[in-house]
Amino acid sequence: MGKLDLGQLQLDDRAEQRVERLRQQTQVDRYPLCTERLRLFTEAWEQTRGQPKVLRLAQAFAHLVENMTIFIEEGELIVGNGASRPMGLEVEPLFGPVDEREIRQLEEEGFIEVSAEDWATLRELSSYWACENLQFRIGRLLDEARLWPFARTGLLLPPFRRREEGVGGWAQSGIGLGVNRWIGVVDFARVLNEGLSSLIAEAEERYRRLRFTDTMENVRRAHFLRAVVISLRAVIRLAERFAELAGELARHEADPHRQVELERIAQTCCWVPANPARNFYEALQSFWFIFLVVQQSTASAGRFDQYMYPFYRRDKDQGGITDAQVLELLELLRIKDMHLISAPLRGVKRQQYTGFAKWHNFTIGGVTPDGRDATNELTFLLLEAAQRVRTPHHTLTLRVHEATPDELMIKALEVVRTGIGLPAFIGDRSYIEFLLSRGVPLELARDYAVAGCIEVSLPGRSRQPKCTFFVPAKVLEVLLHEGVDPRTGLTIGPYAVKLESLQTYEQLEQCFKDYLAHSIRLAAELINLDIACAAQDASPIDSALMVGALEEGKSLMERRMPYENGGAISLCGMVNVADSLAAIRKLVYEEKRVSLRELVQALDANWE
């Protein structure tokens, strides 16, 4: 690692003013809710009726990027917008219903603003997508006896109200393709080092070599490979449009300095992400284009300081960039990420996302695949950018091991002291040992990244389909009400157990375990249904950016990945359950101060 004196690292006045101006523009009173994506997807969906779903998705994406509004804000160096207006959200038609009441509620909460023109579009197109979205498909599969009552209780969050509504609709920035119900990291390094043209060429060659002997399987492969080619060409076309826009702006720019910046943007977008990046700036712009089009709200960047470092090091050695320029770009990247907004349209779902949660996790530090300390100059510069700009996004997660340099830990703690909640700290040993216990080779285990919150991921090699909040305290509540959910009146227990029959604490605890096992089985079924239905909408782009995808010719939701991490049930409130059982044991069974039924009656009355 080269010597880096962060204390002496100063941006020039122009850079400081640029960063501050763009940062202030992210601070808006309300986020514009836009309908351009909804309208363009509808146009494409109408034009592709009867075609395989994966091809319809690819062609809708190509139609979107060819016709969407693009813009370059004053002073921007990294370009690529995820909505048709700055700090905007686009309605996502494929995820869930477009419910006017829920959007009105979101507007009344002061979170969004909707123009009269967009209201007209929402009303016109909401019925078109009513039966074409993921939540509708899930709802049709819920049986009356088990899964439909269970879905309404809120044991798995959020509770359903109507079959066709499910968890509700979604609005977001970012132009990711399809409904990406997975958590993980795509292979950014391959795009930066080889360019999308390499992937397109491989997909086309594999398509040419297909022979329809294993007919059904190879027909599916053919559709997938064609969709990959269409989608990746569309990403390149998006970059070309920004090149054209930057060139046009440069021709009319009066400021010579800004004119040079715009010309460089144009040249860069003409080259990446189609081709391998040749320097740090091109690598960063290529990364941003890919980040825009994958995974949407749960996109994680992986080991950013590792795959970007060769571009930084080569650029520095050749005198092509300074650390101050790199720092400015990393600060601008943080600001750019603030433009990617995600919001559930259904109010009860938004309660889960209080705090404007995004999972744009950048993993830094840790060890290299051969076991050496992986700290480099970019590790420090990413922390410095967070310390100076102090935006809550993107997330930084620092991998800590026995040889993590003291100066890196001190720097990380200095950033924590700012109050922005970054970085998170995770222990390399536990993550690596876990992966080794699952049969992952040591070199790959050492190269893990964090995706989502703290989920372990092997970039390009693993994916977690879904993580859903499960409330075990609700299971105890149902047990104490003899198998009936007191909020809805629905029976969901495996059998009716009268409270008077639970004569000992051991009987109560065993009964709770039976109820818990029954509820977890139902939760697993509901999650499996969600994953299976969402697989129809898996993104050809995300899929193509996973190791071995083109060889197998399958989406990432259909493949068995090199490292399988399946859908997860995230337990919320297990400590509350333990505390509650301890209190019941003491009050009812040890001290006998109250009967179990009297305790439940007191709880139902809220101690009144």
Side-chain angles (χ1 to χ4, degrees):
M1 186 179 79
K3 185 172 177 58
L4 190 63
D5 188 348
L6 296 175
Q8 297 301 313
L9 201 56
Q10 296 297 324
L11 274 57
D12 63 34
D13 290 344
R14 186 182 183 91
E16 290 280 9
Q17 291 168 11
R18 181 205 315 276
V19 168
E20 181 57 22
R21 181 174 63 251
L22 291 172
R23 187 190 66 80
Q24 288 182 3
Q25 289 174 9
T26 67
Q27 299 172 0
V28 296
D29 293 331
R30 291 171 177 251
Y31 301 101
L33 186 72
C34 313
T35 59
E36 187 176 77
R37 179 185 177 93
L38 177 66
R39 176 178 56 81
L40 291 172
F41 253 76
T42 306
E43 291 174 1
W45 224 243
E46 275 293 294
Q47 295 164 9
T48 57
R49 284 187 176 275
Q51 295 188 35
K53 187 71 170 289
V54 68
L55 287 171
R56 297 186 79 185
L57 287 169
Q59 291 175 85
F61 178 73
H63 184 68
L64 171 68
V65 301
E66 185 63 52
N67 296 281
M68 64 180 280
T69 301
I70 65 170
F71 49 85
I72 298 174
E73 297 199 70
E74 182 185 352
E76 276 197 317
L77 297 180
I78 306 168
V79 301
N81 50 284
S84 53
R85 277 177 274 175
M87 300 303 294
L89 300 93
E90 296 282 349
V91 175
E92 171 51 64
L94 294 169
F95 184 82
V98 182
D99 189 322
E100 180 175 338
R101 291 169 300 177
E102 293 290 355
I103 296 173
R104 288 284 186 194
Q105 178 61 38
L106 193 56
E107 192 175 38
E108 289 171 9
E109 291 173 8
F111 188 81
I112 63 168
E113 57 184 3
V114 187
S115 70
E117 180 183 357
D118 285 325
W119 270 121
T121 303
L122 286 168
R123 293 192 186 99
E124 177 188 353
L125 299 181
S126 59
S127 59
Y128 180 92
W129 291 96
C131 303
E132 291 272 3
N133 64 74
L134 171 64
Q135 303 308 317
F136 180 84
R137 295 199 301 275
I138 294 169
R140 293 183 68 184
L141 293 169
L142 302 180
D143 64 280
E144 287 288 342
R146 300 178 314 111
L147 289 179
W148 177 229
F150 176 78
R152 283 183 282 168
T153 61
L155 276 156
L156 205 63
L157 295 174
F160 286 25
R161 284 185 306 193
R162 302 187 302 275
R163 285 180 181 271
E164 66 276 11
E165 179 186 46
V167 303
W170 206 274
Q172 62 199 359
S173 323
I175 48 180
L177 176 55
V179 176
N180 295 303
R181 302 289 274 167
W182 73 285
I183 298 169
V185 182
V186 300
D187 191 358
F188 289 103
R190 178 170 182 183
V191 180
L192 303 188
N193 290 303
E194 299 180 26
L196 292 182
S197 294
S198 168
L199 283 160
I200 292 170
E202 182 183 342
E204 289 176 327
E205 177 60 23
R206 292 191 180 279
Y207 181 78
R208 282 193 293 269
R209 286 159 47 189
L210 276 178
R211 297 296 179 267
F212 297 100
T213 48
D214 182 6
T215 308
M216 289 303 297
E217 195 64 30
N218 279 353
V219 165
R220 292 192 193 97
R221 287 192 178 100
H223 293 325
F224 172 75
L225 291 170
R226 285 183 59 203
V228 166
V229 171
I230 293 168
S231 303
L232 296 186
R233 283 179 175 165
V235 179
I236 293 172
R237 176 59 191 144
L238 178 64
E240 290 172 349
R241 289 191 64 203
F242 276 98
E244 293 163 4
L245 176 58
E248 181 66 19
L249 292 172
R251 285 189 287 274
H252 297 90
E253 178 58 57
D255 178 358
H257 195 285
R258 181 57 179 164
Q259 185 179 51
V260 170
E261 291 175 347
L262 289 165
E263 288 170 348
R264 189 184 188 196
I265 291 171
Q267 293 163 3
T268 298
C269 295
C270 276
W271 186 255
V272 295
N275 301 294
R278 297 167 296 192
N279 54 51
F280 183 82
Y281 178 63
E282 287 183 351
L284 190 60
Q285 180 61 68
S286 185
F287 163 80
W288 181 252
F289 278 132
I290 300 304
F291 200 69
L292 267 182
V293 300
V294 298
Q295 289 174 283
Q296 301 162 2
S297 66
T298 58
S300 290
R303 303 191 71 184
F304 186 86
D305 64 342
Q306 300 303 300
Y307 60 74
M308 288 291 291
Y309 187 68
F311 300 98
Y312 164 86
R313 189 69 265 160
R314 187 166 59 243
D315 232 2
K316 279 292 300 296
D317 290 345
Q318 295 173 355
I321 201 165
T322 67
D323 284 322
Q325 290 169 330
V326 172
L327 178 60
E328 180 189 10
L329 289 171
L330 294 178
E331 291 182 7
L332 294 175
L333 180 62
R334 294 196 66 81
I335 293 166
K336 201 71 175 163
D337 190 84
M338 290 297 294
H339 285 258
L340 300 185
I341 305 151
S342 182
L345 295 182
R346 189 175 165 209
V348 68
K349 182 69 175 174
R350 284 197 300 283
Q351 292 176 16
Q352 289 180 245
Y353 291 79
T354 301
F356 199 11
K358 295 190 285 189
W359 295 269
H360 297 171
N361 211 321
F362 285 51
T363 305
I364 59 175
V367 295
T368 61
D370 61 4
R372 294 175 293 108
D373 175 52
T375 306
N376 60 46
E377 293 94 324
L378 283 180
T379 316
F380 282 92
L381 286 166
L382 283 158
L383 289 167
E384 183 70 14
Q387 186 172 8
R388 295 193 185 196
V389 178
R390 301 193 184 184
T391 54
H393 305 291
H394 54 78
T395 300
L396 291 171
T397 295
L398 176 60
R399 288 177 43 178
V400 180
H401 60 101
E402 289 84 350
T404 295
D406 289 346
E407 58 266 34
L408 178 59
M409 293 298 291
I410 292 169
K411 180 62 185 177
L413 292 170
E414 287 174 355
V415 179
V416 170
R417 191 170 60 183
T418 66
I420 62 173
L422 301 174
F425 298 86
I426 59 171
D428 260 5
R429 178 185 292 178
S430 61
Y431 274 76
I432 293 170
E433 288 180 354
F434 168 77
L435 289 166
L436 292 174
S437 74
R438 296 301 186 271
V440 176
L442 180 57
E443 285 193 358
L444 281 180
R446 287 169 170 160
D447 204 28
Y448 79 90
V450 172
C453 304
I454 56 171
E455 290 87 335
V456 64
S457 180
L458 300 179
R461 298 176 186 273
S462 66
R463 53 101 177 92
Q464 180 180 301
K466 185 172 164 57
C467 182
T468 305
F469 297 117
F470 179 88
V471 188
K474 184 79 176 174
V475 177
L476 181 59
E477 182 182 48
V478 170
L479 165 61
L480 295 176
H481 289 84
E482 301 177 331
V484 176
D485 172 29
R487 186 180 66 84
T488 62
L490 295 168
T491 300
I492 59 167
Y495 45 80
V497 176
K498 293 296 182 183
L499 296 182
E500 286 74 15
S501 70
L502 302 174
Q503 293 297 308
T504 67
Y505 172 75
E506 289 70 26
Q507 289 177 317
L508 171 70
E509 185 178 290
Q510 185 57 53
C511 196
F512 170 73
K513 290 177 180 177
D514 293 340
Y515 269 70
L516 183 63
H518 174 76
S519 300
I520 287 175
R521 283 193 292 269
L522 291 174
E525 286 192 63
L526 189 54
I527 291 171
N528 287 343
L529 276 180
D530 189 317
I531 293 169
C533 291
Q536 301 174 36
D537 297 323
S539 165
I541 298 175
D542 293 46
S543 299
L545 296 179
M546 304 299 280
V547 174
L550 302 182
E551 181 180 354
E552 288 193 42
K554 295 179 181 179
S555 81
L556 62 87
M557 299 303 286
E558 298 172 305
R559 299 174 59 199
R560 184 168 183 83
M561 301 297 292
Y563 168 62
E564 281 288 299
N565 32 351
I569 295 175
S570 180
L571 298 178
C572 303
M574 205 65 190
V575 171
N576 303 73
V577 171
D579 288 346
S580 299
L581 289 172
I584 292 171
R585 181 172 60 185
K586 183 177 180 64
L587 293 173
V588 176
Y589 294 103
E590 293 177 356
E591 298 181 355
K592 302 185 186 301
R593 293 168 59 185
V594 65
S595 73
L596 190 55
R597 187 169 296 281
E598 288 171 336
L599 179 61
V600 172
Q601 289 170 347
L603 291 168
D604 287 344
N606 197 23
W607 307 103
E608 293 292 336

